[in-house]
Amino acid sequence: MISYIRSHLKQLESEAIFVIREVAGQFERPVLLFSGGKDSIVMAHLARKAFYPGRTPFPFLHIDTGHNFSETLAFRDRLMEKIDARLIVRYVQDSIDQGRVVEEKGPYASRNGLQTVTLLDALAEFKFEAALGGARRDEEKARAKERFFSHRDAFGQWDPKNQRPELWHLYNGRKHANENFRVFPLSNWTELDIWQYIQTERIEIPSLYFSHRRNIINRDGVLLAASEVVKPVNNEKIEEKVVRFRTIGDMTCTGAVESVANSLDEIIQEVASARVTERGARTDDKRSEAAMEDRKKQGYF
């Protein structure tokens, strides 16, 4: 069983590295989208492997909502220094200050959707032609419609009905001026694959993924971390719970799960038996039946 898992992971690794090298070969100005979450950390690891012993030939881009977990930002900076990567950070707050977006109001307000404008502006600013992301098809039904090379028009919009065929691992990166691609080398990976790969490769990850005590607010069944940007409303109370995070994003919409898993072995066992996807605790995906697809059509990751 162990040898099968390792063989399976090696196949996924080879496929992802092939796609990353294709991007470097086909585009003059690619970039890797980095959030500090487990998928983007695996992407950084694969990019290093793809070009070792040379330096990763493209920069990393983080869109900071201003509502990120402090642990994530600390880990991001430490990792970028360790791997000698060029990091570009663009801030949603700047988009708000410039009048490019309007901040939501009320107890359910989130900056997560506002990232789209900041991202599109950053891609245009640096004239990036392809943005590598860590999205996987098993995350959400809209993700399952993606190709490895996801074409975006001059407005950054995604049309799920206009996806190009990808037969025999041939990827068509041809485009018109101002168009670009999102590229997803982890498309065929699952959450379980990610965790098994992290364990096999001994990849360091943020402490948020492991069980810990944290003050939590239960908001409509989603366990949000109590903070300066997430405060109790109506009859909500702050409770201390033992939790961990399966996904890391904006604090206003990223929910925790109650868990005592504090090792990679325990996390893998927990994920293998889970019946809810990791994005099941994301409030931004629950705003409508097609919340993710709507955001993607507008230019979201």
Side-chain angles (χ1 to χ4, degrees):
M1 184 64 174
I2 293 177
S3 61
Y4 168 78
I5 292 173
R6 288 177 178 170
S7 175
H8 172 67
L9 293 177
K10 279 298 179 184
Q11 288 178 348
L12 291 174
E13 179 189 70
S14 296
E15 179 181 60
I17 287 176
F18 176 80
V19 173
I20 291 170
R21 287 173 175 166
E22 276 290 300
V23 170
Q26 292 195 39
F27 301 99
E28 292 184 12
R29 290 180 297 276
V31 67
L32 193 152
L33 302 178
F34 189 82
S35 67
K38 63 185 183 304
D39 299 315
S40 62
I41 292 169
V42 167
M43 282 288 296
H45 183 81
L46 291 166
R48 291 186 71 200
K49 274 198 164 188
F51 305 104
Y52 184 84
R55 187 185 185 191
T56 304
F58 40 74
F60 290 57
L61 172 63
H62 181 213
I63 303 301
D64 188 343
T65 67
H67 295 165
N68 296 101
F69 291 92
S70 59
E71 296 96 327
T72 304
L73 298 180
F75 182 91
R76 177 200 70 186
D77 295 340
R78 190 167 65 251
L79 178 63
M80 293 298 103
E81 182 177 359
K82 178 181 177 181
I83 66 176
D84 189 28
R86 178 191 171 200
L87 175 67
I88 300 169
V89 182
R90 288 297 178 264
Y91 301 91
V92 171
Q93 184 62 55
D94 290 341
S95 298
I96 295 172
D97 294 342
Q98 295 163 9
R100 296 281 292 141
V101 294
V102 177
E103 187 152 26
E104 297 178 358
K105 304 296 183 182
Y108 298 95
S110 174
R111 290 184 175 182
N112 198 55
L114 306 185
Q115 294 180 83
T116 298
V117 172
T118 311
L119 171 63
L120 294 176
D121 286 349
L123 295 179
E125 176 186 354
F126 294 96
K127 297 181 172 59
F128 289 130
E129 301 170 303
L132 289 148
R136 309 185 321 271
R137 290 181 180 135
D138 75 319
E139 287 182 80
E140 203 272 346
K141 56 188 178 182
R143 297 288 198 200
K145 299 179 181 180
E146 286 282 18
R147 299 288 196 270
F148 281 94
F149 275 40
S150 179
H151 174 264
R152 305 297 173 102
D153 65 20
F155 300 99
Q157 296 175 328
W158 171 69
D159 182 357
K161 297 180 180 179
N162 191 31
Q163 295 285 291
R164 298 174 178 179
E166 295 180 338
L167 305 176
W168 308 293
H169 289 87
L170 297 176
Y171 303 111
N172 182 356
R174 287 178 292 182
K175 64 180 187 62
H176 296 294
N178 299 321
E179 295 178 346
N180 60 73
F181 284 83
R182 306 293 164 77
V183 182
F184 305 111
L186 303 182
S187 290
N188 288 334
W189 297 52
T190 66
E191 183 186 7
L192 185 59
D193 292 329
I194 292 291
W195 283 114
Q196 289 175 332
Y197 187 74
I198 287 171
Q199 183 182 52
T200 301
E201 295 288 299
R202 299 180 180 178
I203 301 173
E204 183 183 2
I205 56 173
S207 59
L208 289 166
Y209 284 112
F210 297 99
S211 174
H212 59 283
R213 292 189 175 275
R214 184 175 289 267
N215 287 334
I216 292 295
I217 296 172
N218 188 331
R219 180 162 295 165
D220 296 333
V222 177
L223 304 181
L224 298 176
S227 66
E228 286 299 311
V229 296
V230 180
K231 299 179 181 179
V233 295
N234 301 326
N235 297 319
E236 293 176 345
K237 296 180 180 179
I238 295 178
E239 305 174 84
E240 185 181 82
K241 291 182 178 292
V242 177
V243 300
R244 73 176 194 87
F245 291 86
R246 290 177 67 186
T247 178
I248 295 177
D250 189 290
M251 296 177 68
T252 60
C253 61
T254 304
V257 294
E258 293 190 68
S259 170
V260 295
N262 56 16
S263 71
L264 289 176
D265 281 333
E266 291 174 339
I267 289 175
I268 288 171
Q269 291 177 12
E270 185 177 273
V271 170
S273 60
R275 292 295 177 266
V276 178
T277 68
E278 64 202 280
R279 295 191 69 94
R282 292 289 294 262
T283 60
D284 52 330
D285 289 346
K286 298 181 178 182
R287 293 192 172 195
S288 74
E289 283 292 322
M292 171 65 82
E293 183 159 334
D294 291 341
R295 295 201 306 277
K296 283 172 60 60
K297 287 179 179 178
Q298 294 166 4
Y300 188 72
F301 302 149

